[in-house]
Every structure is written in C-alpha cells, then in structure tokens.
Amino acid sequence: MGTADMLHVCLIRKILCYLSYEESSRMRILSKTWLLAWLDHPNLEFTVSSGKTITIVDHVMERYKNGNIPIDKFELHNSTKSDHIFPLIDRWLGIALQNGVRHLEYIDVELSTSYPFPIFKFFEANVLRELVLTGCDLMHVSLSSASQAVTCHSLRNLSLSLVHLDNNMLQTILSSCPFIVDLIIGYCSRLKNIEIRNLPNIRSLVICNDQPVKIQAPSLEHLYYTSSCLNKLNIVEHKNLKTLDISCTEISDVYLNHLISIPSCLEKLILANIAFGRFDICRSQSLKVLKIHNCKIIGAIDAPNLVFLEYKGHDIPQLKFAQESRQLRQSQMILYPLFNVDSAWFCQLRKSLSDSISWSQVTIYFHKCEEINMIDLLLQPRVAIPKVDILDVNFSRPNWEFPTFVDALLRSCHPRKLNLQSTTTIFTCFMYRFMQMKNLSHGQLKEAKAYKFDQKSQSWHPVEQRRGRDFPVRTSSKSKKYFFLLDW
C-alpha cells in the first residue's frame, strides 16, 4: 500500500472539501483512493468558454445526476458570448438543485448576454444558503408568478451585482427571503431606489448604487456604501451599527457629520474618496478603527479609545486630534504623491508629522523627484524633527541621483526603522549620502547608528563607510527591499 493510500477514504473526502475544485482535481493523481474520493467531490467550480469546456461540464454534471452525488457548492462562470448555451445552463442548474446544492454562484464574465436565472425555482426548494448572481436577468419572471413563490427560509447570503431587475422584483425577492443575514446590491442600473426593511436578521449590507437608498434595519451591524452622492442615503434606524464604510465624491458637511455622529456603538469607520465636504469625528467613545482614504478636508478627530488609525492618499493630511488615544497601537500614513516632490512638500510632511499624533508607520511611494532646494528647508522654523517607528520608501523610477532628496527626507522625520524598496544603485547612493550627512553633522544625525539587515544570515550588522566595502559595487535595475535600523 502506497503512502497516499494510508488515509481512510472518509478522511480524504474531508480534506478535499477544504480545497477548491481545481486544487482537489490535482490530488486525484495521488492514488486510486484519492481519485475515487475526488469523483464525488461536493464542491464544483466551472468556467465555460468553448465547446470543449462545455462538453466537460456536461459530462461531469451527467455523472453527478446518474450517481445522485450530493452537491454542496456549485460555481458557474459563463465566458461564452451566445445565448445558445442557456438550455445547458438550465440543465446544469437543475441537476445542482436536484442534488441539494446549498451554495450557488453564477457569473456572466463577458456581460454580453443576460441569462434568465430561475431564481424562484431555487427559492421553492428551500435549501439554498447562499446565492451569488452577476450579470444575469431577473426581469423575465412575471410578478404574478413570483408573488406565489414559496418563502425561502434557508437563504442567508444574497448577492446581486449587475443584475437586470426593477424595484418591484427586488422587493419581491427580499420579501421571499426574510432571514437574510448578508446582502449585497451592486450596480443594478434599473433600480430607481433601494429600500431595505423587514429583514430582522440582517447583519451586513453592501450597496454600490447611485440611486436613493432607505435603510430601516435595527439589527444591521456592518454597512458598506459606495455612491457618487452620499445625500441619497437615508438610514432610519441603525442602533446596532458597528462598522460604517462610505465611499463617495459629493456630500454636504451637515449630512456627513450627522451620519457619523449618530451610531452610539460604532467601532469601525472608513471614509474614502470624499472630495467635497468637511467632517469632524467628535466624542466617539466606542470608535476603535479609523481609516481615511483620499479625503480632501478633514476636521477635528476626538476618539479617545482609538486602537488603529490609517490615512491613505495623494495629499499630506493635516489631522487635528483633540487628544491622543492611550490605546492607539498602530497608526499608518500611506502617501502616493502624484506630482514632483519639492522642498515645500517636505516642509508640509514635517509639519504634518509634528502636529498630529505619533505615527508608527509612514509609507511613501515616490514617482518623481528633482533637486531639492535645501535653503527653503533650512529657513523653516526650528522644531524637533518628528520621529516615526517605521519609514517605508518606495521608488518607482530607478534612475535618480538625489543627494538632496536624502537630506530632505531625513530632515522631515527620524525613523527608527527604514525600509528602502528600490534598485541596488539607488540603495548605494542613498546610504552613501546618509553616511556623508552623518560625518558632516553636529546634531542627532552625528550620533545616529545604522544597522543593515543581512538576508542570508538573518541578522543585523553595523553600516560603516570604509572605502565603500559596506555598499554594493555592482549596479542593478532590479528592485529589491533593504532593511535598516537607525539608532538616533
């Protein structure tokens, strides 16, 4: 008996259940026992794009039908551009339904044809736990027949993206599935408005639509909303809301501040792409996680129990905190400068790091940099250079020669750990200039000690300038990551 056959077939089936259909199909070559276990794998995942793949799927589904093999999960991605396959899809879905499918996903990859998905046929079976639909048509069902559909008590997760349906059909679907826990509605253009009500068990709601939305869901805990205008969102009741994730471009100051101030138990707040509108986060005792992505105007932040803070954007933030949270464990600033950085940019960075809280990690992706006017930096008011725990520096262009860039960067902040993502050439120039600054300096930089992490020995060793022996002499255009500890 081979090693692969030492496991009992029941245990092999259990192992295969945790693998995708593609992963489990690779395991069938191990032995005959593994092959037999794979032949009745309960999770099926198919992508049909040509006559060959259609034949394979049809053969597999026929085998499952004849053997009455249970199907727990069925995923079908349709990459064809013709409606000629629709009768076969009807047949495959019918087999999956007959064999007890509980998790079903249908995706029209090309979005060129809209398959008329028989949604109420699956509701009548009352065994489905999860239904994910993308790019199909639900308008083919007459409301008279839909209204007679049996209520589906089993469905917990429903996702409708790029689906053809109107308001009446959406309400009929939601009325048929009163025990939904997770609901996703994304980019369904025919909807005039969206109303979420009479779902007593709903916990998570994702809406990506520009139509007006009204939510009356006391049990709702997590709301993710993306739209061009937040003023179209009306939350009537959300006393248990713990996570609020908003991404939109236009919003009034009054409405945004009203929205984020209401939830008394809000623990996680994510605000993204708000170009117009100023917001304040005031007296939020329950807030633990705050993420701000690409927001132009940020007001005062008063969250004394904040644990995690993240800012991500093209512009350097000017954050004002009423008080720094004693529970703050991690604070990240991630910057993507769109234009050439100059002395004014580095002055603004230093001011931002000095005025706000102590940042544990600052990550900067530099796209372009020219000679920095150091006179402008030296003329700035003398304030203590802010310290950060980790500074990640990433260069997208490997042909820089930037002695003044290193000067400007290290006059903006003093990192305890410096991670440099770039080529060997830039690393050599960077460290050479750092050692020059250290030798010429009379302040903190003079006493600073640098340690480089050796990937081979997995240990740190001091960096010293001795005829360049500590710096690579060969040049390379391949990007690598270098790690340094700086002891100021």
Side-chain angles (χ1 to χ4, degrees), residues 42-43 70-75 95-105 122 125-132 152 154-157:
N43 301 331
I71 299 176
D72 184 64
K73 182 178 181 181
F74 184 70
E75 292 185 10
I95 295 173
L97 183 60
Q98 174 186 316
N99 291 26
V101 65
R102 298 196 308 155
H103 305 272
L104 179 63
E105 177 178 308
F122 282 86
N126 206 21
V127 294
L128 208 59
R129 297 278 298 181
E130 179 180 23
L131 178 61
V132 179
C152 184
S154 62
L155 194 67
R156 296 295 181 269
N157 303 329

Side-chain angles (χ1 to χ4, degrees), residues 6-32:
M6 293 180 64
L7 299 177
H8 193 274
V9 65
C10 293
L11 181 57
I12 294 176
R13 287 196 178 100
K14 187 74 172 179
I15 294 173
L16 293 179
C17 284
Y18 289 99
L19 304 176
S20 68
Y21 188 72
E22 183 178 353
E23 291 171 336
S24 63
S25 65
R26 300 193 192 107
M27 307 294 288
R28 70 178 189 263
I29 65 173
L30 293 177
S31 70
K32 185 177 180 180

